[in-house]
Amino acid sequence: KGKTRDTSNVQKDDETVTLSVLVQADRIWVGLSRVNEFQEIPKMAAGDQDWTKFETTLKEHKASAFFADRADIEIAAESTTQSPVKYQDVIRAMDYAIKVGFIDVGLSDPAGLAARPSL
């Protein structure tokens, strides 16, 4: 069987909620699929991502009924020519996910995230 990158025709058999993280140059989005709920974590005034708030947000999701007994999360980075995402920011997001218990980290294409914010 072949695989397609076009996620518009992919059907999921269950109603499992997926935790998605989108790292952008100026913010991080944390979203829940099926619920279509998003949290925006803007950069701090010093210019670095707010990693403390990111970690707290992930901990809250890990403690929720959706993810208490799960270890999966998906992370993607979305760069533009004017605003590239630092490679280190993607790695750091993955490290924080693992630190709070999401040890099954999937790296995804931004268009393939189960929960993607509409900007």
Side-chain angles (χ1 to χ4, degrees):
K1 275 185 164 178
K3 291 188 177 183
T4 180
R5 287 185 164 228
D6 180 11
T7 58
S8 63
N9 62 358
V10 176
Q11 295 179 355
K12 291 193 176 185
D13 294 340
D14 60 351
E15 294 295 317
T16 302
V17 175
T18 302
L19 186 60
S20 301
V21 174
L22 179 63
V23 181
Q24 296 177 321
D26 58 344
R27 69 192 50 141
I28 299 173
W29 292 94
V30 179
L32 295 172
S33 70
R34 305 281 185 222
V35 188
N36 216 24
E37 189 177 288
F38 299 93
Q39 292 173 273
E40 179 184 6
I41 304 170
K43 271 192 168 180
M44 297 185 302
D48 195 21
Q49 299 285 10
D50 190 345
W51 295 112
T52 302
K53 185 173 181 182
F54 179 68
E55 181 179 12
T56 301
T57 301
L58 290 183
K59 281 181 182 178
E60 290 169 359
H61 284 295
K62 184 65 177 145
S64 74
F66 289 128
F67 303 104
D69 61 345
R70 294 181 41 207
D72 58 307
I73 189 171
E74 58 181 16
I75 297 177
E78 183 174 59
S79 289
T80 64
T81 306
Q82 297 83 14
S83 301
V85 173
K86 293 185 221 172
Y87 175 75
Q88 188 58 39
D89 284 351
V90 178
I91 298 303
R92 200 164 179 187
M94 295 170 80
D95 286 344
Y96 275 106
I98 292 168
K99 180 180 178 183
V100 302
F102 291 106
I103 58 172
D104 184 8
V105 179
L107 190 58
S108 179
D109 180 86
L113 287 174
R116 179 165 169 73
S118 300
L119 306 177

